[in-house]
Amino acid sequence: MSINNAHVDILQGQRWESTPWKRLQVGDIVRIKQDGYFPADLLFLSSTNPDGVCYIETANLDGETNLKIRKALERTWDFVTPEKASGFKGEVQCEQPNNSLYTFTGNLIVDKQTIPLSPNQLLLRGCSLRNTEYIVGAVIFTGHETKVMMNSMNVPSKRSTLEKKLDKLILALFATLFSMCVIGAIGSGVFINEKYFYLGLRGKVEDQFNPKNRFVVTILTMFTLITLYSTIIPISLYVSIEMIKFIQCTQFINNDLHMYHAESDTPALARTSNLNEELGQVEYIFSDKTGTLTRNLMEFFKCSIGGEMYGTGITEIEKGGAERAGIKIDDDEGKRSASAVHEKGFNFDDARIMRGAWRNEPNPEACKEFFRCLAICHTVLPEGEETPEKITYQAASPDEAALVAAAKNFGFFFYRRTPTTVMVRESHVERMGSIQDVPYEILNVLEFNSTRKRQSVVCRFPNGRLVLYCKGADNVVYERLADGNHDMKKTSREHLEQFGSAGLRTLCLAYRDLSREQYEIWNEKFVQAKSSLRDRDKKLDEVAELIEKDLILIGCTAIEDKLQEGVPTCIETLCAAGIKIWVLTGDKMETAINIAYACSLVNNDTKQFIISSETDAIREAEDRGDPVEIARVIKDSVKQSLKSFHEEARHSLISTPERKLALIIDGRCLMYALDPTLRVDLLGLSLICHSVVCCRVSPLQKAQVTSLVKKGARKITLSIGDGANDVSMIQAAHVGIGISGQEGMQAVMASDFAIAQFRFLTDLLLVHGRWSYLRLCKVITYFFYKNLTFTLTQFWFTFQTGFSGQRFYDDWNQSLYNVIFTALPVIIVGLFDKDVSASLSKRYPQLYKEGIRNSFFKWRVIAVWGFFAFYQSIVFFYFTASASRHGQGSSGKILGLWDVSTMAFSCVVVTVNLRLLMACNSITRWHYISVAGSIVAWFVFIFIYSAIMTSFDRQENVYFVIYVLMSTFFFYLTLLLVPIIALFGDFLYLSIQRWLFPYDYQIIQEQHRDEPHEYSRVQLPETSHLSPEEARSYMISMLPRESSKHTGFAFDSPGYESFFASQQGVGVPHKAWDVARRASMKQQRAGKS
């Protein structure tokens, strides 16, 4: 592969030499430059950045585009140059290769000193280096032993569920064929006898008709009948289906303007035609979060300072909730003030604290501390020119970047960072309009982690003031606040609840003034903990607890994680369609839950079952440090939680069935829940819940969860993602959807279908998927019916011929039956038939449940078609044979075998084509042309075929037959009555079924029978973004169309575009048929005058 031929710098002696990735070996020292990818799993030794820090992007692993911080061991900081790196000698003792992306245990032994290693010192293959000139690392795992490779899966070969069931139907047809042949063969062995002297069976005869050896007669007749009845196997069905699927993909899905994203100029793309109908039966959707549901764009939206709420904006969640409650939001609320600012990371509107106006607020000191906390308490790196307009921030999370951007817009502009100093340009502090650059000395940084859920910075002001700034989760910060000031705490708590219900991500900000003595005593303990070789993280947390107390609450922030346009509405529609949506993300649990709220997957009334590894029992086991004990405790905890939650969920379904249930589980617990001993419990609980959120999961775990439902529950699954970390999940599901996002094309290249936005799933599933399923079900069952009807007619004839294997139909008639005389109409139905319009499919998403239940391809449906095939075959044979027993031609001769068979074949062709029209939901000119054309093709063929006779074939059998038949009144009467009698049973059944036992779509048809063309009123949400040519094409596509003559529904067939366009002021090229159209209109006007 080309990726393994990429080059990387490897240490040879005391210089760097370029070497292909494929030659790397464990223990090599390598240098990775900025924006380069790590070729293997590396132990991070040193960096050009101060304090041994580097920034990496992990989008290929967890889908997150925000930067992560990795820190080298202090013992190895100096190994930056090749001269010093060449002197590095050490031994790494670590775990065996595994697929866990977020854990790593090991030790580095240098000069007989053992230094513990953690995931902070591990750089995984597939990640890239950012904002760092270069780093030096030692190779730990290479090739297939790297964590990203152990998370990959083999590319599967996918077949739709409908095709697999079709295989069973074909096997059933083979069994039917075998049964018919056995009956005929046994009948032949019984029937053959010398007493039928007129058959000439005495003396020397062929083995097949020798009465003296009935066993041989039976065997040979068996093979004869197999060839005779082989038409029951619909070989042409597979060709027709592939043709229909291919056209559905290339012409319908790829060209659908409702799935075209104008901003990125990205249409929908069907990368395979095997799974069209699978889109109409999806019951579970597994979705990535970042870049799939969200835009990965955090914006500072509101805040609360000193008990006062600021920010006048309305979130998408609030708007959606108001709409569901029937509350109309005034347009005035959407208007922004002159002081409003909207830039990357900041979307805030409140003139009270913008442009220095905070000085006039009742709490200006609190505002000042709030803004300083935003500008100082972070690990963000500034890039570019040191001006507010051109600077960019590189942060470990988009939340941090949004908070720093907020500080900048409030007048506290962070523009430079050194190893010990943060430079902030403060405006309006001393007096209105004043600007001053203030250096803050950063003494200590207490980093954020999932256990602490907070970050703190100890800084020294230029005047010597020592302050601890802290920001973190509300429950963590509130536990550490000083006594007093209860009113502000209560008010801020209410504000936090309001922000949370609006779908905003919240943080609390607090500070504490420190005396010099307090700080020096604490700092000694901090330095000791930081230099500890054992349980360093634990000791650092304990030391942090000593100073992170008696805090003074400043306020709280509210950040909006922007969802993609239309995501909540799309999810609500899909849920109404009976589809369950699971979110599988590499993000932390709090973020995932916030997104679940924002997407309407979870609301305040939802009962949540949370299985987390952040429990006291698990923490105590981790503190003891025994890996076996930790694994046992986590597994026992997960097992107990699954069983108790399962019982609780079942009880909730009985007591309050209308209440939604949600399971939320993190990746560490999921690893144990996927164990074979607990997998059944996990699946049982998951299937009861309406939605499931899996956090901190690896790519392999995403695929394992998908496979669990796919194989364990035998449900049809769909996975959707946009990054390389979603590839395994996309490949594991029945249908994989790739989103053309900002994380490259890996997901798209591995997918079955590609779309630009999550909301396009509505059209892809509810419209194209549902139509494809309905059409293909109709195509398959109709093929089964027409072939069975045709073959059974031959089967009944066998009983009249002593089971001899005599053909009832001519060879050419039999060969062309599926190829010409019945081929085109069924393809037209497979392409154009639709029960309801696209807008009604989305307006009534419950219609989709018929696909989930597989209502149109059940054995009961197939049996009904088979019953009427059986009935019609009896009508075709016995009615024509009995009625023509005393029939005569114009010459007075009685009608022979080929006269009767030609008459029966004519009835079969006419009837099966008319039966297809009865099965259609919408009939257009193409249906009429194809059906009439097939029937006419038969008569044209038989006219020519009957008029020619050659000496080297059996054509003399049907020579002049059609001309003899058409000279009799009997032929026309039979051709009229037999199809009517044959179709009467179908007509009666369809009438009773529609009247007494209607399908859901038939009810919708009746409700909207008098609403032609309503589908064309649906407007594209992005019409305003179309180019003039695209807008013109769209207006043409929305012009009136030919109306269905069967159900009253509009149909997208071409017709009189330029005539209708001229009535609506749209310019299109004139067509030839418009001349006749205008002429007829003039005649009508003249007649009226």
Side-chain angles (χ1 to χ4, degrees), residues 223-239:
F223 287 107
T224 300
L225 294 179
I226 287 176
T227 61
L228 190 62
Y229 299 152
S230 62
T231 52
I232 197 174
I233 307 301
I235 299 174
S236 59
L237 170 61
Y238 287 95
V239 179

Side-chain angles (χ1 to χ4, degrees), residues 50 54 119 178 183 189 214 231 361 406 416 462 491 500 523 533 682 702 718 801 813 876 934 946 949 981:
C54 76
F178 181 76
I183 293 172
R214 294 176 183 271
T231 52
E361 288 297 292
R416 188 186 306 162
T491 305
N523 190 46
L533 297 181
L682 174 64
K702 291 184 178 184
L718 179 149
T801 61
N813 294 358
F876 293 141
S934 297
S946 297
M949 182 175 67
I981 296 171

Side-chain angles (χ1 to χ4, degrees), residues 343 387-389 391 393 403-414:
E343 63 177 43
T387 60
E389 296 79 16
I391 199 166
Y393 294 121
L403 294 175
V404 175
K408 178 187 73 173
N409 284 281
F410 289 135
F412 287 70
F413 171 39
F414 160 65

Side-chain angles (χ1 to χ4, degrees), residues 172-182 225-226 229-230 232-233:
L173 289 176
F174 270 110
T176 305
L177 171 62
F178 181 76
S179 301
M180 293 166 59
C181 293
V182 168
L225 294 179
I226 287 176
Y229 299 152
S230 62
I232 197 174
I233 307 301

Side-chain angles (χ1 to χ4, degrees), residues 302-305 307-311 350 352 494-495 498-499:
K302 290 184 179 183
C303 63
S304 172
I305 306 175
E308 187 71 26
M309 185 187 295
Y310 298 97
D350 197 327
R352 292 178 294 168
E494 292 173 354
H495 293 168
Q498 292 180 35
F499 295 155

Side-chain angles (χ1 to χ4, degrees), residues 286 584 702-710 717 719 729 732-733:
F286 301 91
L584 311 179
K702 291 184 178 184
Q704 289 173 336
V705 171
T706 305
S707 298
L708 177 67
V709 177
K710 177 182 176 181
T717 58
S719 292
M729 175 179 70

